Amino acid sequence: MLTLSARRCVLSQRKSPLNSTRGHCDTAPPDVLDRVRTLLQLCADRYYISPGESNSELFRRGWSCSYGPLGVELRRNLLQQWWHSVTGSRAWVFGVNTVSSSPDREAGGARVIESERFQQILDQAELSREQLIQKLNRLLLSSPSVRTSLLQGALEQFAPSLEMVNKKLPFGLAESGLCFQPSDGSGCSAEVTQTSLVWFCSPRSSSQWLDHWARHRLKWWRKFALSPSDFSSTEVPENELEEKTSRGVKILYKFPWGLESLETLGCRGDAELLQTYKGIRTKLQTRDGRKSIPHVVSVSGNMDRGAMAFLSNSLQQLRTEDGKKRLQQRKVLKLHPVLAPVKVALDIGKGATVELRQVCEGLLQEFLEAKISAWPGYLEAVPTSLELLNAKYDEMGVLFTVVIGEKTLESGLLQVRSRDTTVRETMHISEIRNFLSKYISAADKF
Amino acid sequence: MLTLSARRCVLSQRKSPLNSTRGHCDTAPPDVLDRVRTLLQLCADRYYISPGESNSELFRRGWSCSYGPLGVELRRNLLQQWWHSVTGSRAWVFGVNTVSSSPDREAGGARVIESERFQQILDQAELSREQLIQKLNRLLLSSPSVRTSLLQGALEQFAPSLEMVNKKLPFGLAESGLCFQPSDGSGCSAEVTQTSLVWFCSPRSSSQWLDHWARHRLKWWRKFALSPSDFSSTEVPENELEEKTSRGVKILYKFPWGLESLETLGCRGDAELLQTYKGIRTKLQTRDGRKSIPHVVSVSGNMDRGAMAFLSNSLQQLRTEDGKKRLQQRKVLKLHPVLAPVKVALDIGKGATVELRQVCEGLLQEFLEAKISAWPGYLEAVPTSLELLNAKYDEMGVLFTVVIGEKTLESGLLQVRSRDTTVRETMHISEIRNFLSKYISAADKF
């Protein structure tokens, strides 16, 4: 349940910059600000997002930002899992793709306007004030408007899809893609990578389907979590429901600064379908014998915020003592094996550098062919201690670190260190690929 | 080589609608129009693109359009293959993600403008003509501009990436995403799913790297082709080079209506990097000892047109005789096994429908778990002849059709038909999943 204080926190959070989150959430522990800063710093240092304050702020708000290579891979993995889970969950869920801007979709919202044509009109000195306004209005209305969600596109795909499913309900249309959020006036782009499942079903079953998908989605989020209880679902109170929605459920994540919504589900009735097809009921009729129009259940997620939720969820901070009994803080990004952007890092120990690098090159190729994403640490020239190296890879969330040393050249044996257990094992070079493949696919199935 | 007549054809093609392609290309056979119509009709009938003339036209122009489930899956497969081939080809190619609109990227081009704010300014009756123009200009300049390519984003990621690669050249940044084409004034959205590899290397090696990547890319396109010779590469003539580009290569595909460019490669020197970093050379210095600024080799592809190229390339029209010796035309979409959106269709033959469907359900789940994309044909109630069914699946490009019949209930044996050989084999139900997995992964490696 979204408690009142938590709801206040979400609301205040939307307007307030990072520095003012402390104090707003009465449920938040005093070290909130530290935890947020640590998370954002780690994400920038370890190639999840590009450095820079304004980029971190986009990221924290749950918007699409400049991602570094690890962030890109994390979001790719997440989107891929979502796609498989939604299109693979039922026989009749189909993927669609609609264009992000369209000439006649919405009257309001944002539009893509050609600067040159705009400028040309402003430059026409012979135009009176009224003529100028008229021309500009025409330009505005003829410019394509950008989508704020994937719902409308899916509704437009309903009729063409009916034939494919032999006019039978229920069925669903899935899509992921970029959507534009209404600007906050800062000139700051607000793009979000949304996922959408639009489910068409009979009117009497729509509430049950809402429950079905809410359970399905919460289970999915929790599957990849280190602390599953940070993900929750809540019924949207009646007075907070969107227009045209008779029931709603939200999947929430407990960020250090409060609860935020990752996915929104709603029973939307038939009004929007009818509106899309200009009330022509014959276009919407299905085979179920009755004359009723299908009802729509929408499931809409924000995968930029989703990626951030898993980063936040998987960051563990452990206090350990080093060799000289000094207290140190170890940060580990314990991302789920399926989501972790780098599965294995390859490094060299002491020994003949040229030969060791050749072994690494060969092993890297093997990993790439098996589609195991690998980090070529052996290319970094800066000599670093194994301790520092492990700390770095732990912060990157690298599942395993392989060190190739003199022994490997002699006997084919190498050292494999696990992120989660910190245990070092000795393994033969011929076994490592299979070991990793099996580890990852076992984690996918649990 | 792009011959003169072919080039004329590409140019004329850009302006002319579908109906006027005939006659423009002196190299085109007389049945060009038929072949184009057949291709577009098949794509709409078989769920690759949504029906409708304007949507077909977007598709034919090589722009992003409304895709049906098979088109979505085809483009997904294509993008995935591109990603693996580029990021997996070298140790130092990293994926990045940049935002599609940014407040200060380009002066010209298109911008995302909030309709409401625009309208508010127009409605202010107290403003003089000059004040109005001033306010509108300010709104225009403060609105984020949308990207037309992924290059600028990658250049901005150069400096943050330098540390990651230990300041060593060469390295590359890969990205795929939506870009907006300058509008043709129709109010028609022109979005393209672009792929981009921006390769940073030493000035003296850039021409060799261009050759390397041109070979790499052509080989990649041909890998998935039925007729590899329809894909070609050509050096861009000096007088057609883009500004700031000293050498260029294009990967072309021979569509029925003429040659079109799928991917463009160029040696772009260091001017754009310097411009992006406002001439601050210290930000761009690498470890190679010299004081030179890295040179940029760009590789930019259009994956919407790429998907269409593979559809066009794989459509085979065969004349066959039916049982009554009537001449019939069989259309088969011989998409590469890795690209084919549906690997297997599941249908039922004669027998107890309820039991047969249960077997299908079980098998479908097995396929989905193994990430083998399957088509639940057994859910379609309309009884159809096996011949019509095969014709439909051939047009969809489905690799194998599995028919579950009475025999399956008795002995576990089922019929598997191959799209490419049209041969029917009997197989035990326990073997089918492994058979398909092996078939697909073998095709991936050839």
Side-chain angles (χ1 to χ4, degrees):
Chain A
M1 275 298 292
L2 188 57
T3 61
L4 248 184
S5 65
R7 218 180 294 146
R8 256 210 313 283
C9 165
V10 172
L11 289 174
S12 70
Q13 206 289 87
R14 261 180 215 146
K15 285 165 223 153
S16 65
L18 178 56
N19 311 14
S20 59
T21 48
R22 181 185 282 198
H24 277 280
C25 305
D26 42 14
T27 52
D31 59 342
V32 163
L33 198 55
D34 267 0
R35 281 170 60 201
V36 177
R37 279 213 181 113
T38 305
L39 177 68
L40 295 180
Q41 195 59 50
L42 182 137
C43 288
D45 288 348
R46 297 311 178 200
Y47 322 124
Y48 278 91
I49 60 172
S50 300
E53 240 173 79
S54 62
N55 195 52
S56 290
E57 182 59 17
L58 288 178
F59 176 64
R60 201 195 53 81
R61 286 190 187 199
W63 294 347
S64 193
C65 68
S66 279
Y67 289 98
L70 269 64
V72 171
E73 211 61 39
L74 170 63
R75 204 182 54 174
R76 271 177 64 82
N77 293 341
L78 196 59
L79 281 166
Q80 209 153 11
Q81 289 297 325
W82 175 84
W83 189 258
H84 280 300
S85 118
V86 169
T87 64
S89 63
R90 297 246 142 206
W92 283 142
V93 176
F94 298 97
V96 290
N97 177 80
T98 59
V99 288
S100 77
S101 60
S102 103
D104 48 17
R105 204 166 276 165
E106 284 155 86
R111 287 176 183 263
V112 180
I113 295 184
E114 292 286 325
S115 305
E116 280 81 15
R117 292 182 63 202
F118 191 90
Q119 208 65 57
Q120 271 167 18
I121 296 174
L122 294 189
D123 288 349
Q124 287 176 300
E126 73 279 10
L127 292 180
S128 71
R129 193 181 182 284
E130 278 60 46
Q131 285 171 322
L132 192 73
I133 289 181
Q134 215 174 31
K135 280 216 167 194
L136 287 170
N137 255 323
R138 225 176 291 150
L139 175 68
L140 182 73
L141 289 174
S142 69
S143 297
S145 61
V146 295
R147 64 184 173 197
T148 54
S149 85
L150 301 169
L151 176 66
Q152 189 55 36
L155 296 177
E156 286 162 19
Q157 293 300 308
F158 173 77
S161 307
L162 259 186
E163 191 233 342
M164 191 165 61
V165 296
N166 198 22
K167 297 207 167 197
K168 278 207 270 186
L169 296 179
F171 73 98
L173 297 176
E175 181 172 9
S176 74
L178 215 56
C179 291
F180 294 81
Q181 302 286 295
S183 162
D184 58 356
S186 65
C188 178
S189 65
E191 306 170 10
V192 170
T193 309
Q194 286 196 10
T195 53
S196 155
L197 169 69
V198 178
W199 186 250
F200 303 98
C201 57
S202 71
R204 65 200 142 68
S205 65
S206 73
S207 196
Q208 276 152 281
W209 279 116
L210 182 76
D211 292 328
H212 165 85
W213 285 115
R215 278 194 306 272
H216 178 280
R217 299 309 305 139
L218 182 61
K219 198 174 148 197
W220 181 84
W221 288 100
R222 286 184 167 169
K223 177 181 171 185
F224 305 108
L226 189 67
S227 315
S229 61
D230 287 346
F231 292 85
S232 60
S233 71
T234 179
E235 188 86 20
V236 179
E238 216 164 302
N239 57 344
E240 289 178 20
L241 281 173
E242 262 187 85
E243 217 192 327
K244 288 170 188 163
T245 306
S246 63
R247 252 194 78 198
V249 172
K250 278 180 195 242
I251 310 285
L252 303 166
Y253 180 72
K254 203 171 90 191
F255 284 97
W257 56 83
L259 290 167
E260 296 235 35
S261 163
L262 300 175
E263 209 159 8
T264 311
L265 299 92
C267 282
R268 311 188 70 95
D270 58 7
E272 287 155 320
L273 252 186
L274 278 164
Q275 199 181 323
T276 305
Y277 292 91
K278 299 182 176 71
I280 307 172
R281 294 176 152 258
T282 49
K283 284 195 180 171
L284 305 172
Q285 232 118 59
T286 57
R287 223 177 250 273
D288 73 346
R290 292 185 205 83
K291 290 271 152 133
S292 60
I293 304 300
H295 274 207
V296 170
V297 175
S298 67
V299 185
S300 161
N302 174 346
M303 286 301 149
D304 288 302
R305 187 173 284 151
M308 184 175 51
F310 283 116
L311 284 167
S312 175
N313 192 261
S314 65
L315 178 60
Q316 271 197 346
Q317 301 191 56
L318 308 161
R319 284 178 205 282
T320 54
E321 277 181 5
D322 69 358
K324 289 168 186 158
K325 296 233 166 183
R326 280 174 307 201
L327 211 63
Q328 287 206 318
Q329 210 177 40
R330 187 179 155 233
K331 284 173 278 190
V332 192
L333 215 49
K334 288 204 169 171
L335 284 165
H336 189 278
V338 164
L339 296 185
V342 180
K343 314 297 184 202
V344 58
L346 268 169
D347 278 276
I348 50 177
K350 280 172 199 154
T353 316
V354 180
E355 282 85 351
L356 291 179
R357 281 197 183 200
Q358 274 176 347
V359 177
C360 285
E361 287 285 351
L363 209 47
L364 186 78
Q365 275 309 315
E366 254 194 64
F367 291 148
L368 291 174
E369 274 163 31
K371 286 172 186 154
I372 298 167
S373 97
W375 187 263
Y378 62 92
L379 288 180
E380 296 184 60
V382 195
T384 178
S385 77
L386 210 58
E387 227 163 86
L388 284 174
L389 203 65
N390 287 335
K392 177 182 162 184
Y393 289 145
D394 281 345
E395 289 184 23
M396 286 166 69
V398 175
L399 283 180
F400 292 98
T401 307
V402 166
V403 178
I404 308 279
E406 263 175 349
K407 260 204 183 157
T408 320
L409 297 179
E410 289 164 17
S411 60
L413 294 176
L414 43 74
Q415 289 268 314
V416 188
R417 175 187 178 270
S418 153
R419 172 197 74 184
D420 295 340
T421 63
T422 73
V423 168
R424 264 186 208 82
E425 265 186 88
T426 302
M427 201 177 284
H428 195 266
I429 193 165
S430 61
E431 292 166 13
I432 181 77
R433 191 177 75 171
N434 264 345
F435 166 76
L436 290 172
S437 290
K438 275 187 192 156
Y439 184 92
I440 297 162
S441 66
D444 196 7
K445 273 175 198 143
F446 91 94
Chain B
M1 277 296 293
L2 188 57
T3 62
L4 248 184
S5 64
R7 218 179 293 146
R8 259 208 314 282
C9 165
V10 173
L11 289 175
S12 69
Q13 205 287 93
R14 260 180 215 145
K15 286 164 221 150
S16 65
L18 178 57
N19 310 12
S20 60
T21 48
R22 182 186 281 199
H24 277 280
C25 306
D26 42 14
T27 52
D31 60 341
V32 162
L33 199 55
D34 267 1
R35 283 170 60 199
V36 176
R37 279 213 181 113
T38 306
L39 176 68
L40 295 181
Q41 195 59 50
L42 182 138
C43 288
D45 288 347
R46 298 309 178 202
Y47 322 125
Y48 279 92
I49 60 172
S50 301
E53 241 173 77
S54 61
N55 195 52
S56 290
E57 183 58 18
L58 288 179
F59 176 63
R60 202 195 54 81
R61 286 190 188 199
W63 294 346
S64 194
C65 68
S66 279
Y67 289 98
L70 270 64
V72 171
E73 210 58 40
L74 170 63
R75 204 182 55 173
R76 272 177 63 83
N77 292 342
L78 196 58
L79 281 166
Q80 209 153 12
Q81 289 297 325
W82 175 83
W83 189 259
H84 280 303
S85 117
V86 169
T87 62
S89 62
R90 298 244 143 207
W92 283 139
V93 177
F94 298 97
V96 290
N97 176 80
T98 60
V99 288
S100 77
S101 59
S102 105
D104 49 16
R105 204 168 274 166
E106 284 154 86
R111 285 175 183 265
V112 181
I113 295 183
E114 292 287 325
S115 305
E116 281 81 15
R117 293 182 64 204
F118 191 90
Q119 210 64 59
Q120 271 168 16
I121 296 175
L122 294 189
D123 288 349
Q124 286 176 301
E126 73 280 10
L127 293 180
S128 73
R129 192 178 181 282
E130 278 60 46
Q131 285 171 322
L132 192 72
I133 290 181
Q134 217 175 28
K135 279 218 167 190
L136 288 170
N137 256 324
R138 225 176 290 148
L139 175 68
L140 181 73
L141 290 174
S142 70
S143 298
S145 62
V146 294
R147 64 183 173 197
T148 55
S149 86
L150 302 169
L151 176 66
Q152 189 55 37
L155 295 178
E156 286 162 17
Q157 292 301 308
F158 173 79
S161 306
L162 259 187
E163 191 233 342
M164 191 166 60
V165 297
N166 197 23
K167 297 208 167 196
K168 276 207 271 184
L169 296 180
F171 74 96
L173 298 176
E175 181 172 10
S176 74
L178 215 55
C179 291
F180 294 82
Q181 301 286 294
S183 160
D184 58 357
S186 65
C188 178
S189 65
E191 304 170 10
V192 169
T193 310
Q194 287 197 11
T195 53
S196 155
L197 169 69
V198 178
W199 186 250
F200 303 97
C201 57
S202 71
R204 64 198 145 67
S205 65
S206 73
S207 195
Q208 276 152 279
W209 278 115
L210 182 76
D211 292 327
H212 166 84
W213 285 114
R215 278 194 306 273
H216 178 280
R217 299 309 305 140
L218 182 60
K219 199 173 147 197
W220 181 84
W221 287 101
R222 286 185 167 166
K223 176 180 172 186
F224 305 108
L226 190 66
S227 314
S229 61
D230 287 346
F231 292 85
S232 60
S233 71
T234 179
E235 187 87 20
V236 179
E238 217 164 301
N239 58 342
E240 290 178 20
L241 282 172
E242 263 187 85
E243 217 191 328
K244 289 171 187 162
T245 306
S246 62
R247 253 193 79 198
V249 172
K250 276 179 195 242
I251 309 286
L252 303 166
Y253 181 72
K254 203 170 90 190
F255 284 98
W257 56 82
L259 290 166
E260 297 235 36
S261 163
L262 299 175
E263 208 159 10
T264 310
L265 299 93
C267 283
R268 312 187 70 97
D270 58 7
E272 288 154 321
L273 253 186
L274 277 165
Q275 201 180 321
T276 305
Y277 292 92
K278 300 185 175 70
I280 307 172
R281 295 176 152 259
T282 47
K283 282 195 181 172
L284 304 171
Q285 232 117 61
T286 57
R287 221 178 251 273
D288 73 347
R290 292 184 205 84
K291 289 271 155 139
S292 60
I293 303 300
H295 275 207
V296 170
V297 175
S298 67
V299 185
S300 161
N302 174 344
M303 286 303 148
D304 289 301
R305 187 173 282 149
M308 184 175 51
F310 283 115
L311 284 167
S312 175
N313 192 262
S314 66
L315 178 58
Q316 270 196 346
Q317 301 192 53
L318 307 161
R319 283 176 205 285
T320 54
E321 278 180 3
D322 69 358
K324 290 170 186 159
K325 297 233 165 182
R326 281 174 306 202
L327 212 62
Q328 287 205 318
Q329 211 177 38
R330 188 178 155 234
K331 283 173 279 187
V332 192
L333 215 49
K334 289 202 168 173
L335 284 166
H336 189 279
V338 163
L339 296 185
V342 181
K343 314 297 186 202
V344 58
L346 269 171
D347 277 276
I348 50 178
K350 280 172 199 152
T353 315
V354 179
E355 282 85 352
L356 293 179
R357 280 195 185 204
Q358 274 176 346
V359 178
C360 285
E361 288 285 352
L363 210 47
L364 186 78
Q365 276 308 316
E366 254 194 63
F367 291 147
L368 291 174
E369 273 163 31
K371 286 174 185 152
I372 298 169
S373 97
W375 186 262
Y378 62 93
L379 287 181
E380 296 184 59
V382 194
T384 178
S385 77
L386 210 58
E387 228 164 83
L388 284 174
L389 203 65
N390 287 335
K392 177 183 161 183
Y393 289 145
D394 282 346
E395 290 184 24
M396 286 166 69
V398 174
L399 283 181
F400 292 98
T401 308
V402 167
V403 178
I404 309 278
E406 263 174 352
K407 262 202 182 159
T408 319
L409 297 179
E410 289 162 19
S411 59
L413 294 177
L414 43 74
Q415 289 268 313
V416 188
R417 176 188 177 269
S418 153
R419 172 197 74 183
D420 295 339
T421 63
T422 73
V423 169
R424 264 186 208 83
E425 265 185 89
T426 304
M427 202 176 283
H428 195 267
I429 193 165
S430 61
E431 292 166 14
I432 180 78
R433 189 177 77 170
N434 264 345
F435 167 76
L436 290 172
S437 289
K438 275 188 191 156
Y439 184 91
I440 297 161
S441 66
D444 195 9
K445 274 177 197 141
F446 90 93

